[in-house]
Amino acid sequence: SNQKTKNSFTDPVLKAYGLEEVAKERPVVFAQSLDGTDITKNFGCIIGGLKPKDKMTICPITKKFIFALDPKDSTVQSRNNCIIASVYVGRETKKTWEYFRPNFEFMDNCTKEETNPFAHLGIKPMIVCTECDMSATWHGLCCGGAAKIAKTPCHCCAILSDQLHVPNATPCNRWCAEQQVLDPTWKCYHHPFL
């Protein structure tokens, strides 16, 4: 079954990165990652995987901590830390992204006590974030898109494409109100997140 495959994949990952015992004490942090490239106009490759992001992650080879206490001292390269779980090769369409839905559903299950596939091992629900480019964000959330094509281009707010160039009548308090006091010609284009 797909669930059995995921369990047999992720359980060794926890062990390899030294997170198995930590995950029994507290939630560990993982990122699901998605990125792709166009090889030709009609042919490409999209790769989905996961990355350990927990501060207690150790390198399976050196057995040293991957992340430094101070993030600016960390030497880990994100692309070298991704464990590939799925690969799609072919022409990208709107349906292409459905191929990765089981990965996202599995990781979502890992975050909830009632659906945690590792609960029987004593592992706590995980903290999971998603790392991907803007195109993958738009496709995954089924909202947003290029301003010249999508009526609602932003995945975070309700702005319409034909209103992107129009400044707000009242500047936002977070950044622009103070700027407008210093420079009366300052224009605010910020919108509240949904």
Side-chain angles (χ1 to χ4, degrees), residues 121-142:
L121 299 171
I123 293 174
K124 305 277 186 204
M126 298 177 187
I127 298 169
V128 177
C129 62
T130 302
E131 296 177 349
C132 57
D133 63 15
M134 190 58 67
S135 177
T137 300
W138 293 334
H139 285 97
L141 295 174
C142 300

Side-chain angles (χ1 to χ4, degrees), residues 55-95:
K55 64 183 178 182
M56 296 302 291
T57 303
I58 61 166
C59 174
I61 298 166
T62 67
K63 303 299 182 203
K64 294 181 181 177
F65 288 111
I66 288 180
F67 303 104
L69 291 176
D70 188 338
K72 71 177 186 268
D73 295 330
S74 185
T75 59
V76 68
Q77 286 291 323
S78 181
R79 68 177 178 269
N80 297 337
N81 197 31
C82 187
I83 303 152
I84 297 171
S86 306
V87 178
Y88 176 87
V89 178
R91 184 167 188 225
E92 183 181 327
T93 67
K94 288 185 178 184
K95 291 184 179 182

Side-chain angles (χ1 to χ4, degrees), residues 128-164:
V128 177
C129 62
T130 302
E131 296 177 349
C132 57
D133 63 15
M134 190 58 67
S135 177
T137 300
W138 293 334
H139 285 97
L141 295 174
C142 300
C143 66
K148 291 182 180 179
I149 298 168
K151 185 177 179 182
T152 54
C154 184
H155 65 282
C156 294
C157 74
I159 187 78
L160 300 175
S161 290
D162 61 359
Q163 295 297 306
L164 284 170

